[in-house]
């Protein structure tokens, strides 16, 4: 591979920085929960926020292509050699103030460790986000959400390295344009989150439950003790393969592979009519459709199943399959290549489009490869 931008001089300047280690052994198969993807130029491990800022600023100043990586749980990366440097976030500081409910976490902190610490301190507001893989710093990037909650509910501000200027400052959550699985940090080079500050409730109770399946499990939509909600969420997630367990290939995924489509109400009507015609009234009447910004939100998993893709598709022996626990997760069964994943992603997207006229959009960030 030819790349003149990452010179020996830059590599030696990187290795001289405090709290920085260069690691040439790691591939994206080691770094991602899909266990897929080729070899970056090098991996620069950063143990502190200032190390992250210095490394990114140095690489940007020399126009060296880079990718910020933390938990690797929302990444689809091409096979083969990649002409980019991975900046690996390992700044995992965590400060929990039980009295005020203020939580400040370094970007590289494991998100579920942050949730566990908050819950054991009796702080409420993130218990529904239990079990989401990845890092604290990535939670604003796609405004992570689950079981009726999202990080936007509790995020006060983020410490941001602004890449165009190289400056570090705390910026309010409102400047990130947080929306359903989106912020202005996703798919852009705007900046790197170095730390997040959350404000949680201190009365030991969860936020009111908004998600039917969880509310039914708990016994209603009220507020419940945070630890009980966390336990229920983890149990529900485990049943769907949505908690990473290394020995379970149903969890070698990027989580939900497609976002739930938001469509015009007329399109939702047409989808429901198509279901009615082919599958009958009972199924059509149960079709999930919810009001959302810009139209109505449909369930991607429900559409995938109705388009003929069952759990585990395409069956035993395939290198990439839909999870046997959830149709929305594409999973590596152990020996897959990214090209296998892309082929299945296209098959599912095209199949749903053919049956319902709705084009599903992938949720993860794609590097060096595309579904189109
Ligand atoms: C089993 C499973 C279940 C999942 N369930 C959910 C769920 O319920 N809800 C949900 O929303 N998501 C879910 N996800 C997706 C994923 O866990 C989240 O998107 C998570 O926040 C990604 O964090 P990460 O540290 O792994 O990010 P990475 O995969 O390392 O990075 C993802 C993207 O964010 C960028 N990025 C990462 N950190 C930063 C930073 N500090 N500053 C700027 N950019 C950054 C990267 O450059 C990359 O573009 C799931 C994934 C898996 C594998």
């Amino acid at each position: 591979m030819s790349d003149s931008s990452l010179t020996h001089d830059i590599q030696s300047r990187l290795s001289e920085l405090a709290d920085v280690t260069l690691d040439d052994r790691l591939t994206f198969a080691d770094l991602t929960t899909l266990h897929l993807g080729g070899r970056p130029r090098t991996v620069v491990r950063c143990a502190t926020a200032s190390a992250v800022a210095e490394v990114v600023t140095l690489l940007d100043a020399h126009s060296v292509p880079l990718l910020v990586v933390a938990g690797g749980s929302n990444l689809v990366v091409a096979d083969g050699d990649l002409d980019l440097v991975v900046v690996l976030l390992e700044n995992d500081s965590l400060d929990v103030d039980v009295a005020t409910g203020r939580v400040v976490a370094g970007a590289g902190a494991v998100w579920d460790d942050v949730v566990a610490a908050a819950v054991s301190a009796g702080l409420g507001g993130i218990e529904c986000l239990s079990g989401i893989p990845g890092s604290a710093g990535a939670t604003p990037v796609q405004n992570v959400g689950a079981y009726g909650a999202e990080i936007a509910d509790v995020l006060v501000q983020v410490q941001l390295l602004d890449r165009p200027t190289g400056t570090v400052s705390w910026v309010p959550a409102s400047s990130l344009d947080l929306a359903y699985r989106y912020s202005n940090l996703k798919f852009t080079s705007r900046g790197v989150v170095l730390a997040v500050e959350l404000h949680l409730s201190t009365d030991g109770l969860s936020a009111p439950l908004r998600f039917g399946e969880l509310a039914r499990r708990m016994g209603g939509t009220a507020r419940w003790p945070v630890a009980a909600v966390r336990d229920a969420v983890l149990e529900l997630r485990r049943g769907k393969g949505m908690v990473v367990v290394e020995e379970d290939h149903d969890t070698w995924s990027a989580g939900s592979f497609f976002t739930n489509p938001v469509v015009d109400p007329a399109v939702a009507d047409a989808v429901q009519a198509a279901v009615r015609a082919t599958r009958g009234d009972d199924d059509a009447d149960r079709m999930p459709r919810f009001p959302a910004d810009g139209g109505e939100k449909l369930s991607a998993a429900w559409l995938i199943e109705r388009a003929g893709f069952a759990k585990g598709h395409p069956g035993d022996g395939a290198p990439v399959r839909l999870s046997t626990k959830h149709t929305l997760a594409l999973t590596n069964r152990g020996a897959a290549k990214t090209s296998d994943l892309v082929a299945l992603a296209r098959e599912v997207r095209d199949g749903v489009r053919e049956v319902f006229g709705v084009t599903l959009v992938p949720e993860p960030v794609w590097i060096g490869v595309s579904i189109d």
Side-chain angles (χ1 to χ4, degrees), residues 33 67-75 89 107 132-135 137-139 141-142 144-146 181 191-193 237 241-242 244 253-255 363 365:
T33 51
L67 179 69
V68 170
V69 176
S73 61
N74 212 28
L75 281 173
L89 307 191
I132 298 180
S135 61
T139 57
V141 173
Q142 69 156 2
V144 297
R181 291 306 87 77
V192 181
V193 175
R237 291 186 69 97
M242 286 293 173
V244 172
S253 77
E363 182 184 299
V365 173

Side-chain angles (χ1 to χ4, degrees), residues 277-355:
T278 52
R279 305 181 60 93
D281 286 344
D282 280 359
D283 215 27
D285 291 342
R286 280 200 295 266
M287 184 178 102
R289 52 187 290 188
F290 308 100
D293 276 353
E296 287 190 39
K297 193 189 282 184
L298 308 182
S299 160
W302 199 90
L303 295 177
I304 289 169
E305 280 181 34
R306 286 353 181 245
F309 299 100
K311 290 173 186 156
H313 174 89
D316 283 343
V320 173
R321 302 173 68 186
L322 298 185
S323 160
T324 67
K325 302 184 179 76
H326 199 304
T327 46
L328 199 46
L330 273 65
T331 62
N332 172 5
R333 308 317 290 189
K337 297 260 174 259
T338 302
S339 52
D340 301 316
L341 179 90
V342 175
L344 182 60
R346 283 188 186 133
E347 184 193 348
V348 171
R349 180 200 58 182
D350 295 350
V352 169
R353 185 159 54 198
E354 210 168 286
V355 175

Side-chain angles (χ1 to χ4, degrees), residues 149-237:
E150 54 187 21
I151 197 71
D153 301 337
V154 293
L155 186 70
V156 178
Q157 56 179 351
V158 303
Q159 188 186 35
L160 191 73
L161 167 67
D162 181 80
R163 287 180 61 186
T165 61
T167 53
V168 172
S169 63
W170 285 91
V171 303
S174 57
S175 69
L176 302 178
D177 298 337
L178 297 169
Y180 169 61
R181 291 306 87 77
Y182 175 79
S183 78
N184 58 28
L185 300 170
K186 193 173 179 184
F187 308 127
T188 71
S189 302
R190 176 186 174 196
V192 181
V193 175
L194 302 176
V196 297
E197 179 184 334
L198 316 177
H199 188 246
L200 305 182
S201 64
T202 55
D203 61 4
L205 297 178
S206 69
L209 300 186
R210 292 189 284 233
F211 194 81
E213 186 186 22
L214 178 61
R216 281 192 296 280
R217 175 70 61 109
M218 294 302 300
T221 54
R223 303 179 67 203
W224 297 90
V226 282
V229 174
R230 172 171 167 80
D231 288 347
V233 167
L234 287 174
E235 197 186 324
L236 287 169
R237 291 186 69 97

